[in-house]
């Protein structure tokens, strides 16, 4: 079941915009903080945090509101 959930999540991530994909990958795969991401993209930390929050909301909607995203 876990492999199926991972595949569902990856498919949903690929359905996001490139900028949302980049933020999620840098945050959750590369382990960068919002401040680090913001610094490298010339954004405010609050902007990165808000965009990450919205990207997670989009993912939840795409995969049916799963709690583990």
């Amino acid at each position: 079941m876990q492999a199926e959930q991972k595949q569902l999540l990856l498919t949903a991530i690929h359905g996001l915009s490139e900028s949302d994909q980049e933020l999620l990958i840098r945050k959750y795969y590369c382990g960068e903080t919002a401040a680090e991401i913001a610094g490298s993209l010339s954004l405010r930390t609050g902007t990165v945090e808000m965009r990450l929050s919205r990207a997670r909301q989009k993912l939840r909607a795409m995969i049916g509101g799963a709690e583990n995203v």
Side-chain angles (χ1 to χ4, degrees):
M1 186 66 163
Q2 191 175 13
E4 187 176 309
Q5 289 175 332
K6 285 182 182 180
Q7 185 58 47
L8 182 63
L9 180 58
L10 285 173
T11 300
I13 289 171
H14 288 304
L16 296 173
S17 69
E18 286 186 30
S19 61
D20 284 347
Q21 289 179 42
E22 178 181 8
L23 291 176
L24 290 169
I25 290 168
R26 291 177 74 159
K27 174 73 175 168
Y28 296 105
Y29 183 76
C30 299
E32 294 181 34
T33 65
E36 291 169 332
I37 297 168
S40 66
L41 297 177
S42 299
L43 298 169
R44 288 189 271 159
T45 301
T47 300
V48 170
E49 291 169 345
M50 179 58 69
R51 288 177 57 189
L52 281 166
S53 175
R54 289 179 181 161
R56 287 190 303 267
Q57 288 175 348
K58 290 175 191 175
L59 283 176
R60 282 187 199 102
M62 292 169 83
I63 61 174
E67 293 295 321
N68 57 351
V69 177

